PDB file of all heavy atoms in Angstrom:
ATOM      1  N   GLN A 274      -9.823   0.023   2.014  1.00 98.00           N
ATOM      2  CA  GLN A 274     -11.021   0.330   2.792  1.00 98.00           C
ATOM      3  C   GLN A 274     -11.597   1.680   2.385  1.00 98.00           C
ATOM      4  O   GLN A 274     -12.822   1.838   2.268  1.00 98.00           O
ATOM      5  CB  GLN A 274     -10.677   0.345   4.292  1.00 98.00           C
ATOM      6  CG  GLN A 274     -10.382  -1.040   4.864  1.00 98.00           C
ATOM      7  CD  GLN A 274     -10.137  -0.988   6.360  1.00 98.00           C
ATOM      8  OE1 GLN A 274      -9.073  -1.374   6.860  1.00 98.00           O
ATOM      9  NE2 GLN A 274     -11.095  -0.493   7.097  1.00 98.00           N
ATOM     10  N   LEU A 275     -10.723   2.649   2.170  1.00 98.00           N
ATOM     11  CA  LEU A 275     -11.184   3.978   1.787  1.00 98.00           C
ATOM     12  C   LEU A 275     -11.889   3.947   0.442  1.00 98.00           C
ATOM     13  O   LEU A 275     -12.974   4.551   0.276  1.00 98.00           O
ATOM     14  CB  LEU A 275      -9.982   4.936   1.738  1.00 98.00           C
ATOM     15  CG  LEU A 275     -10.261   6.364   1.244  1.00 98.00           C
ATOM     16  CD1 LEU A 275     -11.336   7.036   2.073  1.00 98.00           C
ATOM     17  CD2 LEU A 275      -8.970   7.182   1.263  1.00 98.00           C
ATOM     18  N   MET A 276     -11.320   3.239  -0.534  1.00 97.00           N
ATOM     19  CA  MET A 276     -11.937   3.191  -1.860  1.00 97.00           C
ATOM     20  C   MET A 276     -13.231   2.379  -1.865  1.00 97.00           C
ATOM     21  O   MET A 276     -14.107   2.608  -2.692  1.00 97.00           O
ATOM     22  CB  MET A 276     -10.943   2.628  -2.872  1.00 97.00           C
ATOM     23  CG  MET A 276      -9.790   3.597  -3.164  1.00 97.00           C
ATOM     24  SD  MET A 276      -8.755   3.078  -4.563  1.00 97.00           S
ATOM     25  CE  MET A 276      -8.036   1.574  -3.889  1.00 97.00           C
ATOM     26  N   ALA A 277     -13.323   1.431  -0.934  1.00 97.00           N
ATOM     27  CA  ALA A 277     -14.585   0.687  -0.815  1.00 97.00           C
ATOM     28  C   ALA A 277     -15.703   1.597  -0.307  1.00 97.00           C
ATOM     29  O   ALA A 277     -16.853   1.480  -0.719  1.00 97.00           O
ATOM     30  CB  ALA A 277     -14.404  -0.501   0.131  1.00 97.00           C
ATOM     31  N   VAL A 278     -15.331   2.520   0.586  1.00 97.00           N
ATOM     32  CA  VAL A 278     -16.316   3.467   1.122  1.00 97.00           C
ATOM     33  C   VAL A 278     -16.569   4.610   0.145  1.00 97.00           C
ATOM     34  O   VAL A 278     -17.703   5.076  -0.015  1.00 97.00           O
ATOM     35  CB  VAL A 278     -15.823   4.027   2.481  1.00 97.00           C
ATOM     36  CG1 VAL A 278     -16.769   5.103   2.993  1.00 97.00           C
ATOM     37  CG2 VAL A 278     -15.691   2.904   3.499  1.00 97.00           C
ATOM     38  N   ASP A 279     -15.500   5.069  -0.513  1.00 97.00           N
ATOM     39  CA  ASP A 279     -15.589   6.229  -1.407  1.00 97.00           C
ATOM     40  C   ASP A 279     -14.930   5.876  -2.743  1.00 97.00           C
ATOM     41  O   ASP A 279     -13.789   6.256  -2.998  1.00 97.00           O
ATOM     42  CB  ASP A 279     -14.896   7.426  -0.754  1.00 97.00           C
ATOM     43  CG  ASP A 279     -15.031   8.691  -1.568  1.00 97.00           C
ATOM     44  OD1 ASP A 279     -15.811   8.701  -2.540  1.00 97.00           O
ATOM     45  OD2 ASP A 279     -14.342   9.685  -1.259  1.00 97.00           O
ATOM     46  N   PRO A 280     -15.645   5.143  -3.623  1.00 96.00           N
ATOM     47  CA  PRO A 280     -15.053   4.683  -4.882  1.00 96.00           C
ATOM     48  C   PRO A 280     -14.622   5.816  -5.823  1.00 96.00           C
ATOM     49  O   PRO A 280     -13.780   5.591  -6.695  1.00 96.00           O
ATOM     50  CB  PRO A 280     -16.179   3.850  -5.517  1.00 96.00           C
ATOM     51  CG  PRO A 280     -17.098   3.506  -4.387  1.00 96.00           C
ATOM     52  CD  PRO A 280     -17.020   4.651  -3.440  1.00 96.00           C
ATOM     53  N   SER A 281     -15.181   6.984  -5.666  1.00 96.00           N
ATOM     54  CA  SER A 281     -14.859   8.096  -6.569  1.00 96.00           C
ATOM     55  C   SER A 281     -13.693   8.947  -6.069  1.00 96.00           C
ATOM     56  O   SER A 281     -13.416  10.005  -6.637  1.00 96.00           O
ATOM     57  CB  SER A 281     -16.095   8.987  -6.749  1.00 96.00           C
ATOM     58  OG  SER A 281     -16.489   9.567  -5.505  1.00 96.00           O
ATOM     59  N   ASN A 282     -13.004   8.481  -5.038  1.00 96.00           N
ATOM     60  CA  ASN A 282     -11.890   9.238  -4.455  1.00 96.00           C
ATOM     61  C   ASN A 282     -10.648   9.083  -5.342  1.00 96.00           C
ATOM     62  O   ASN A 282      -9.919   8.096  -5.266  1.00 96.00           O
ATOM     63  CB  ASN A 282     -11.609   8.747  -3.031  1.00 96.00           C
ATOM     64  CG  ASN A 282     -10.685   9.676  -2.265  1.00 96.00           C
ATOM     65  OD1 ASN A 282      -9.724  10.188  -2.795  1.00 96.00           O
ATOM     66  ND2 ASN A 282     -11.010   9.881  -0.995  1.00 96.00           N
ATOM     67  N   ASP A 283     -10.413  10.077  -6.203  1.00 96.00           N
ATOM     68  CA  ASP A 283      -9.276  10.007  -7.121  1.00 96.00           C
ATOM     69  C   ASP A 283      -7.940  10.076  -6.392  1.00 96.00           C
ATOM     70  O   ASP A 283      -6.957   9.452  -6.815  1.00 96.00           O
ATOM     71  CB  ASP A 283      -9.359  11.145  -8.150  1.00 96.00           C
ATOM     72  CG  ASP A 283     -10.541  10.981  -9.094  1.00 96.00           C
ATOM     73  OD1 ASP A 283     -10.978   9.830  -9.309  1.00 96.00           O
ATOM     74  OD2 ASP A 283     -11.040  12.001  -9.616  1.00 96.00           O
ATOM     75  N   ASP A 284      -7.872  10.837  -5.313  1.00 96.00           N
ATOM     76  CA  ASP A 284      -6.625  10.927  -4.551  1.00 96.00           C
ATOM     77  C   ASP A 284      -6.225   9.559  -3.999  1.00 96.00           C
ATOM     78  O   ASP A 284      -5.046   9.180  -4.033  1.00 96.00           O
ATOM     79  CB  ASP A 284      -6.761  11.934  -3.409  1.00 96.00           C
ATOM     80  CG  ASP A 284      -6.836  13.369  -3.913  1.00 96.00           C
ATOM     81  OD1 ASP A 284      -6.408  13.611  -5.060  1.00 96.00           O
ATOM     82  OD2 ASP A 284      -7.301  14.240  -3.154  1.00 96.00           O
ATOM     83  N   ALA A 285      -7.205   8.846  -3.478  1.00 96.00           N
ATOM     84  CA  ALA A 285      -6.928   7.522  -2.932  1.00 96.00           C
ATOM     85  C   ALA A 285      -6.483   6.560  -4.023  1.00 96.00           C
ATOM     86  O   ALA A 285      -5.571   5.746  -3.826  1.00 96.00           O
ATOM     87  CB  ALA A 285      -8.159   6.981  -2.216  1.00 96.00           C
ATOM     88  N   ARG A 286      -7.106   6.666  -5.207  1.00 96.00           N
ATOM     89  CA  ARG A 286      -6.726   5.786  -6.313  1.00 96.00           C
ATOM     90  C   ARG A 286      -5.297   6.073  -6.762  1.00 96.00           C
ATOM     91  O   ARG A 286      -4.511   5.150  -7.003  1.00 96.00           O
ATOM     92  CB  ARG A 286      -7.700   5.994  -7.471  1.00 96.00           C
ATOM     93  CG  ARG A 286      -7.533   4.972  -8.604  1.00 96.00           C
ATOM     94  CD  ARG A 286      -8.595   5.128  -9.669  1.00 96.00           C
ATOM     95  NE  ARG A 286      -9.919   4.830  -9.136  1.00 96.00           N
ATOM     96  CZ  ARG A 286     -10.840   5.751  -8.852  1.00 96.00           C
ATOM     97  NH1 ARG A 286     -10.582   7.031  -9.030  1.00 96.00           N
ATOM     98  NH2 ARG A 286     -12.012   5.393  -8.372  1.00 96.00           N
ATOM     99  N   ASP A 287      -4.949   7.345  -6.872  1.00 97.00           N
ATOM    100  CA  ASP A 287      -3.571   7.703  -7.255  1.00 97.00           C
ATOM    101  C   ASP A 287      -2.566   7.240  -6.202  1.00 97.00           C
ATOM    102  O   ASP A 287      -1.472   6.771  -6.535  1.00 97.00           O
ATOM    103  CB  ASP A 287      -3.457   9.220  -7.451  1.00 97.00           C
ATOM    104  CG  ASP A 287      -4.254   9.713  -8.654  1.00 97.00           C
ATOM    105  OD1 ASP A 287      -4.595   8.883  -9.523  1.00 97.00           O
ATOM    106  OD2 ASP A 287      -4.530  10.924  -8.719  1.00 97.00           O
ATOM    107  N   GLN A 288      -2.944   7.372  -4.948  1.00 97.00           N
ATOM    108  CA  GLN A 288      -2.049   6.935  -3.867  1.00 97.00           C
ATOM    109  C   GLN A 288      -1.878   5.423  -3.896  1.00 97.00           C
ATOM    110  O   GLN A 288      -0.775   4.912  -3.635  1.00 97.00           O
ATOM    111  CB  GLN A 288      -2.592   7.382  -2.512  1.00 97.00           C
ATOM    112  CG  GLN A 288      -1.650   7.113  -1.353  1.00 97.00           C
ATOM    113  CD  GLN A 288      -2.189   7.669  -0.033  1.00 97.00           C
ATOM    114  OE1 GLN A 288      -3.293   8.221   0.014  1.00 97.00           O
ATOM    115  NE2 GLN A 288      -1.418   7.544   1.024  1.00 97.00           N
ATOM    116  N   MET A 289      -2.938   4.695  -4.225  1.00 97.00           N
ATOM    117  CA  MET A 289      -2.843   3.242  -4.306  1.00 97.00           C
ATOM    118  C   MET A 289      -1.845   2.821  -5.391  1.00 97.00           C
ATOM    119  O   MET A 289      -1.033   1.903  -5.182  1.00 97.00           O
ATOM    120  CB  MET A 289      -4.221   2.644  -4.602  1.00 97.00           C
ATOM    121  CG  MET A 289      -4.196   1.132  -4.813  1.00 97.00           C
ATOM    122  SD  MET A 289      -3.730   0.216  -3.326  1.00 97.00           S
ATOM    123  CE  MET A 289      -5.326   0.122  -2.513  1.00 97.00           C
ATOM    124  N   VAL A 290      -1.884   3.492  -6.537  1.00 96.00           N
ATOM    125  CA  VAL A 290      -0.934   3.189  -7.609  1.00 96.00           C
ATOM    126  C   VAL A 290       0.497   3.421  -7.124  1.00 96.00           C
ATOM    127  O   VAL A 290       1.403   2.610  -7.380  1.00 96.00           O
ATOM    128  CB  VAL A 290      -1.232   4.062  -8.850  1.00 96.00           C
ATOM    129  CG1 VAL A 290      -0.124   3.907  -9.894  1.00 96.00           C
ATOM    130  CG2 VAL A 290      -2.574   3.692  -9.453  1.00 96.00           C
ATOM    131  N   ARG A 291       0.694   4.516  -6.406  1.00 96.00           N
ATOM    132  CA  ARG A 291       2.027   4.829  -5.891  1.00 96.00           C
ATOM    133  C   ARG A 291       2.502   3.793  -4.878  1.00 96.00           C
ATOM    134  O   ARG A 291       3.651   3.349  -4.903  1.00 96.00           O
ATOM    135  CB  ARG A 291       2.007   6.224  -5.272  1.00 96.00           C
ATOM    136  CG  ARG A 291       3.359   6.714  -4.781  1.00 96.00           C
ATOM    137  CD  ARG A 291       3.307   8.163  -4.324  1.00 96.00           C
ATOM    138  NE  ARG A 291       2.501   8.348  -3.127  1.00 96.00           N
ATOM    139  CZ  ARG A 291       1.361   9.036  -3.090  1.00 96.00           C
ATOM    140  NH1 ARG A 291       0.864   9.603  -4.180  1.00 96.00           N
ATOM    141  NH2 ARG A 291       0.696   9.166  -1.950  1.00 96.00           N
TER     142      ARG A 291
END
Side-chain angles (χ1 to χ4, degrees):
Q274 289 184 239
L275 175 57
M276 290 190 294
V278 175
D279 184 10
S281 62
N282 193 319
D283 293 333
D284 289 340
R286 189 175 296 105
D287 293 341
Q288 187 176 2
M289 175 65 84
V290 172
R291 184 173 67 246

